[in-house]
Structures are given as C-alpha cells and as structure tokens.
Amino acid sequence: MTTPANDSDPVLITGAAPSYEEQFAARKRKYVIMMCCRIPCLIAAGLTYHVWWLALGFLAISVPLPWIAVLIANDRPPRKSEKVSTYQREAKAIEGTTHRVIDG
C-alpha cells in the first residue's frame, strides 16, 4: 500500500460539492457586489451630465449590469481542477509470459 506524497496532507475521501447554502450565499454576494457597482455609475452619469460622452459612457456601463449580475448569480460554481491528496493503491502487474498462438 502506498501513501500520499506528503503524509501531513489530509486524504480527500469525498468529491462532494459545497452545500447548497454555501453556494447560494456566494451567488447572493456576487449579485449584491455587481448591483452596488451600478449605483456609483448612475450617480457619476448624473454628475457628469455636462460632458455628454462621459455621462453616456457611465450609462452604457450601468445598463447591462443587472442582466450580467443575474447571469453570474444564477451560474453554478466552476468545478475545481486542483490536485488533491487521494488514496492511491499499489498497482498490480500483469503476468508477462509468452503464449503459443494456434491459428485454425
């Protein structure tokens, strides 16, 4: 039986995803952050109305933010591609003898 490379690393015994509550909290946090970014854009557009192209730029940024926030908040978290410490059993070798083949 072989052990992981570093014995101090815990061995992962499950590939379970984070709980629904944790995922929901992370998605809510992303949504709130993105929607809070919209408020300063709208305020900046109102404060820079005398420079029309700058105000239009702030409005152009703030208009699609709710749509983008909903898309990102409804997306599931990405799968982790990290290398985890898992139990590796010893590989067994297959017998390597030569056998006579009889063609019929």
Side-chain angles (χ1 to χ4, degrees), residues 61-82:
I61 291 171
S62 69
V63 167
L65 271 179
W67 177 70
I68 294 170
V70 168
L71 286 179
I72 290 175
N74 286 335
D75 193 19
R76 69 171 181 81
R79 293 183 183 199
K80 297 193 184 227
S81 63
E82 60 190 30

Side-chain angles (χ1 to χ4, degrees), residues 1-12 83-91:
M1 175 171 97
T2 61
T3 57
N6 188 354
D7 288 334
S8 65
D9 291 340
V11 176
L12 181 67
K83 183 166 176 24
V84 294
S85 175
T86 56
Y87 174 74
Q88 301 290 327
R89 65 185 178 100
E90 188 174 332

Side-chain angles (χ1 to χ4, degrees), residues 15-31:
S19 70
Y20 175 76
E21 290 79 19
E22 291 173 356
Q23 289 180 12
F24 186 64
R27 292 193 332 244
K28 276 198 310 189
R29 191 172 32 254
K30 288 178 190 176
Y31 179 81

